[in-house]
């Protein structure tokens, strides 16, 4: 039962779209303009055409950051989805003290990136950390994440999963709750095993939820900044930078907004490509009568 | 649904749950516990679970680090401001998208979600010179605008899903009784969508309370928020104030952990309002 929009409809929508326009849309077009100019902190613009893009593409640090982003994003997102799915299935099939357990699992969602990095940094400190010393005693050797970009980025991934798992779990759990339980009962009567019920009923019906969770997480992991910045500052020797850190270094450290904007515009395009599948599906579902 | 699990299955399930509990709560427990330890006890290995608790760290925080409490106040102002702003904006938007449809509204909705996809760091570049010129740098209002904007898209969708569940007959009945649209929305429908508002509010509040990137780039003094102060103390650490830092972190995280765990029902409600109806 929908009506055609009236003038008042647009009034109801205007605060929303004014905010988006002022804070996101106009600035993102201005980023495109900045990326075609050379400037210091966004002032004193000089037109340089595509020079900034050429410089970025020729910069080994950019490619390093892009590769790092690719590996961390993929490493984080798939591990997180599988664990969140397993956990959600576990909760739906019943756990003791469910409310309390649920609250515990959700807790990291409430923690600031700053605090998350602080506590993992502490626990993993090569000389005083509880976990790193335990790992060392178990024979894993000394995990010095400040000297090795690979170990540093692995720790970044661990922190990222730690902070985001609750939300992914919530999304998948909500999706599971929406599945009609009579389907399971019917399957049970027909003699389906638990595994068959999972692969033939749960998974197929959960595909849309899993896809949304996947796209969400890809987009959010792609913009990762704080964990890397607070943990390694992109070091040693800029080897653990991700794209957002590369952008920040050039923009706010060297004041070169042209290079930063070129990187930023590529991040915008990348994010939109990741999201396009979801956006098109959404447009179809909201087209209306 | 009654599942009967074999002993082995029960063991594996228990092990997985136990691991996930330690994984989730362990680090938080570690911080809170350490904030009550004396400096010498914090890094003892293996860690002591039984110790004589002290509130020295909290006393030192209160007497020596005034800036921290100022920052906590800023965080509270900014988080409440963003929550209220985003609440009003997405309530109105959700109503409009639920009751009115055309090709144009559907495209504006897609656009609304699409801009939310932009990485926050990208908009810091164009905003940096502009904010400076408008005199908005280092103000609460700027952070409130930024934080609210990054959540209005999703919260509008959540609100739309809640409005969708209210039958249109209710609107018609109100109109027959002579109510205006504004009265219908602000007197009647608002009460039926409070759950959705609660869910959306938690998302915004948690984000604004914890955010780091915008706070780092756009505040220098007046509007500095708690996460930023904590990150500075963490960077400037000279090995003597770990306990005090943990006390500050504990004060920063406890309110929002309580909020999330106590209001978890609303989080699920917010996320299921959409998926239940398929």
């Amino acid at each position: 039962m929908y009506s055609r929009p009236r003038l008042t409809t647009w009034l109801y929508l205007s605060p929303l779209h004014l905010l988006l326009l002022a804070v996101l849309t106009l600035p993102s077009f201005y980023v495109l303009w900045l990326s075609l100019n050379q400037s210091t902190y966004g002032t004193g613009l000089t037109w340089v055409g595509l020079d900034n893009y050429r410089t970025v593409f020729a910069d080994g640090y950019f490619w390093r950051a892009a590769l790092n982003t690719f590996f961390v994003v993929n490493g984080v997102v798939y591990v997180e989805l599988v664990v969140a799915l397993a956990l959600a299935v576990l909760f739906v099939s019943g756990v003791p003290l469910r409310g309390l357990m649920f609250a515990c699992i959700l807790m990291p969602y409430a923690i600031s990136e700053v605090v998350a990095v602080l506590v993992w940094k502490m626990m993993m400190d090569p000389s005083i950390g509880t976990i790193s010393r335990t790992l060392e005693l178990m024979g894993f050797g000394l995990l010095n994440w400040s000297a090795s970009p690979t170990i540093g980025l692995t720790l970044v991934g661990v922190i990222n999963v730690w902070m985001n798992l609750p939300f992914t779990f919530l999304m998948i759990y909500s999706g599971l709750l929406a599945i009609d339980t009579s389907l399971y009962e019917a399957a049970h009567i027909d003699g389906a095993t638990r595994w068959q019920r999972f692969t033939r009923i749960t998974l197929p019906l959960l595909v849309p939820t899993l896809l949304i969770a996947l796209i969400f997480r890809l987009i959010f992991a792609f913009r990762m900044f704080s964990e890397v910045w607070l943990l390694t500052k992109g070091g040693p020797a800029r080897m653990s930078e991700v794209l957002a850190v590369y952008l920040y270094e050039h923009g706010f450290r060297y004041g070169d907004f042209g290079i930063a904007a070129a990187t930023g515009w590529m991040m915008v395009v990348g994010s939109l490509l990741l999201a396009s599948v979801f956006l098109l599906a959404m447009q179809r579902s909201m087209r209306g009568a | 649904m009654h599942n009967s699990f074999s002993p082995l299955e029960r063991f594996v399930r228990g092990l997985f749950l136990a691991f996930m509990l330690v994984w989730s709560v362990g680090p938080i427990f570690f911080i809170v516990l350490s904030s009550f330890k004396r400096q010498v006890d914090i890094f003892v290995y293996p860690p002591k679970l039984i110790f004589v608790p002290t509130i020295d760290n909290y006393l030192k925080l209160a007497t020596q680090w005034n800036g921290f409490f100022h920052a906590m106040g800023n965080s509270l102002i900014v988080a409440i401001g963003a929550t209220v702003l985003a609440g009003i904006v997405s309530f109105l938007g959700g109503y409009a998208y639920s009751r009115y449809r055309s090709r144009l509204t559907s495209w504006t909705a897609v656009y609304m979600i699409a801009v939310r996809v932009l990485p926050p760091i990208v908009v810091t570049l164009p905003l940096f010179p502009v904010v400076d010129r408008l005199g908005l740098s280092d103000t609460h209002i700027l952070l409130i605008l930024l934080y609210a904007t990054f959540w209005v898209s999703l919260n509008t969708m959540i609100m739309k899903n809640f409005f969708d569940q209210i039958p249109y007959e209710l609107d018609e009945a109100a109109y027959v009784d002579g109510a205006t649209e504004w009265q219908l929305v602000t007197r009647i429908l608002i009460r039926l969508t409070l759950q959705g508002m609660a869910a959306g509010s938690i998302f915004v509040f948690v984000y604004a309370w914890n955010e780091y990137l915008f706070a780092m780039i756009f505040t220098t003094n007046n509007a500095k928020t708690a996460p930023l102060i904590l990150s500075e103390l963490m960077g400037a650490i000279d090995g003597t104030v770990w306990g005090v830092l943990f006390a500050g972190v504990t004060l920063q995280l406890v309110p929002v952990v309580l909020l999330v765990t106590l209001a978890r029902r609303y989080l699920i409600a917010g996320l299921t309002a959409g998926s239940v109806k398929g």
Side-chain angles (χ1 to χ4, degrees):
Chain A
M1 192 65 72
Y2 314 111
S3 316
R4 309 294 300 170
R6 293 190 284 247
L7 184 63
T8 50
T9 309
W10 298 108
L11 284 179
Y12 285 106
L13 288 173
S14 57
L16 169 71
H17 284 287
L18 278 177
L19 266 187
L20 294 177
L21 196 70
V23 179
L24 292 174
T25 314
L26 292 180
S28 62
F29 282 109
Y30 192 53
V31 170
L32 183 60
W33 178 246
L34 281 174
S35 76
L36 301 172
N37 286 274
Q38 196 169 38
S39 70
T40 312
Y41 293 107
T43 55
L45 272 65
T46 325
W47 175 264
V48 293
L50 293 174
D51 274 5
N52 288 324
Y53 291 91
R54 280 190 209 108
T55 311
V56 169
F57 283 135
D59 185 0
Y61 290 118
F62 170 78
W63 293 108
R64 177 81 202 192
L67 264 185
N68 284 344
T69 309
F70 178 82
F71 284 123
V72 175
V73 167
N74 281 288
V76 162
V77 169
Y78 298 111
V79 169
E80 193 183 306
L81 275 183
V82 171
V83 176
L85 176 63
L87 199 58
V89 170
L90 182 75
F91 266 84
V92 167
S93 65
V95 292
L97 302 171
R98 182 203 198 83
L100 181 68
M101 297 294 168
F102 206 87
C104 289
I105 297 294
L106 280 191
M107 269 186 205
Y109 169 67
I111 304 300
S112 168
E113 294 140 315
V114 175
V115 175
V117 170
L118 169 75
V119 65
W120 280 96
K121 203 173 176 172
M122 294 281 322
M123 295 189 305
M124 294 298 290
D125 188 286
S127 58
I128 53 174
T130 311
I131 297 182
S132 59
R133 280 206 270 184
T134 308
L135 288 174
E136 204 186 341
L137 286 179
M138 286 163 75
F140 285 97
L142 194 62
L143 295 176
N144 194 349
W145 44 264
S146 61
S148 150
T150 313
I151 300 179
L153 285 171
T154 308
L155 186 53
V156 163
V158 169
I159 297 173
N160 198 277
V161 172
W162 187 74
M163 284 191 304
N164 292 292
L165 184 74
F167 197 80
T168 310
F169 162 71
L170 258 184
M171 286 179 79
I172 297 178
Y173 180 74
S174 307
L176 281 177
L177 289 184
I179 295 178
D180 188 355
T181 46
S182 63
L183 288 174
Y184 292 107
E185 276 150 30
H188 190 65
I189 292 165
D190 288 345
T193 65
R194 194 174 296 126
W195 181 248
Q196 282 173 329
R197 274 178 279 161
F198 177 71
T199 53
R200 307 278 170 82
I201 302 175
T202 311
L203 270 187
L205 287 173
L206 207 56
V207 164
T209 308
L210 289 173
L211 268 182
I212 291 177
L214 174 71
I215 293 167
F216 242 71
R217 285 299 293 129
L218 283 175
I219 291 168
F220 276 74
F222 183 62
R223 59 174 62 161
M224 173 186 316
F225 171 80
S226 310
E227 299 93 311
V228 183
W229 183 249
L230 290 163
L231 190 73
T232 70
K233 287 260 188 305
R238 301 190 64 183
M239 294 303 272
S240 69
E241 283 182 0
V242 289
L243 285 173
V245 172
Y246 179 87
L247 186 161
Y248 181 84
E249 283 266 318
H250 283 271
F252 292 97
R253 201 125 164 228
Y254 309 139
D256 191 342
F257 268 35
I259 297 292
T263 312
W265 191 248
M266 284 188 269
M267 288 180 76
V268 170
V269 173
S271 304
L272 285 174
L273 281 180
L274 281 176
S276 55
V277 188
F278 171 65
L279 291 170
L280 288 176
M282 183 189 146
Q283 201 273 337
R284 270 198 299 277
S285 76
M286 277 188 71
R287 197 150 43 199
Chain B
M1 210 184 343
H2 297 284
N3 283 311
S4 48
F5 294 104
S6 71
L8 178 68
E9 281 172 325
R10 240 176 288 161
F11 176 73
V12 173
R13 287 164 59 91
L15 202 64
F16 178 54
L17 186 63
F19 175 81
M20 291 315 294
L21 285 179
V22 173
W23 158 267
S24 303
V25 183
I28 300 168
F29 192 64
F30 174 80
I31 297 176
V32 176
L33 213 60
S34 299
S35 75
F36 291 104
K37 285 183 179 177
R38 287 178 305 144
Q39 187 72 23
V40 289
D41 288 338
I42 291 181
F43 295 113
V44 173
Y45 187 84
K48 280 190 198 170
L49 283 176
I50 296 158
F51 58 94
V52 185
T54 167
I55 57 162
D56 270 7
N57 296 322
Y58 289 89
L59 292 177
K60 268 189 207 143
L61 183 72
T63 51
Q64 294 166 13
W65 290 10
N66 271 318
F68 175 73
F69 294 95
H70 182 236
M72 287 281 278
N74 283 338
S75 281
L76 193 64
I77 294 171
V78 167
I80 290 177
T83 306
V84 171
L85 178 62
I88 295 170
V89 168
S90 32
F91 172 73
L92 296 176
Y95 166 76
Y97 280 129
S98 165
R99 292 302 194 253
Y100 297 96
R101 281 195 188 185
S102 68
R103 195 165 284 266
L104 188 59
T105 59
S106 82
W107 277 113
T108 60
V110 171
Y111 151 78
M112 164 183 91
I113 299 294
V115 287
R116 176 59 173 82
V117 164
L118 300 181
I121 195 160
V122 174
V123 298
T124 62
L125 294 171
L127 288 178
F128 192 71
V130 176
V131 158
D132 220 33
R133 221 165 299 154
L134 294 176
L136 283 176
S137 153
D138 203 18
T139 59
H140 296 132
I141 188 78
L142 174 70
L143 290 182
I144 290 173
L145 285 171
L146 285 170
Y147 294 159
T149 306
F150 271 88
W151 274 98
V152 286
S153 302
L154 287 175
N155 285 1
T156 299
M157 288 311 287
I158 291 176
M159 291 312 292
K160 174 195 169 292
N161 290 331
F162 275 87
F163 278 112
D164 280 350
Q165 292 181 343
I166 304 173
Y168 192 70
E169 286 73 24
L170 192 77
D171 300 28
E172 282 170 344
Y175 288 136
V176 168
D177 287 345
T180 63
E181 186 175 30
W182 182 249
Q183 286 170 332
L184 165 76
V185 175
T186 57
R187 304 266 170 82
I188 301 167
L189 297 184
I190 195 170
R191 290 180 204 170
L192 301 171
T193 52
L194 284 178
Q195 268 209 338
M197 297 254 251
S201 298
I202 297 168
F203 290 136
V204 187
F205 191 91
V206 171
Y207 171 69
W209 180 261
N210 287 332
E211 204 274 345
Y212 171 70
L213 174 65
F214 288 139
M216 173 177 71
I217 291 180
F218 292 115
T219 70
T220 46
N221 221 334
N222 278 330
K224 232 180 217 180
T225 56
L228 194 63
I229 289 272
L230 290 175
S231 79
E232 288 174 0
L233 296 174
M234 174 177 140
I237 217 82
D238 56 8
T240 53
V241 287
W242 280 111
V244 184
L245 180 56
F246 283 133
V249 168
T250 303
L251 292 181
Q252 192 271 344
L253 68 79
V254 164
V256 70
V257 165
L258 283 179
L259 174 74
V260 165
T261 51
L262 294 178
R264 58 184 183 276
R265 194 162 71 81
Y266 296 103
L267 291 178
I268 299 176
L271 291 173
T272 40
S275 51
V276 167
K277 94 192 155 55

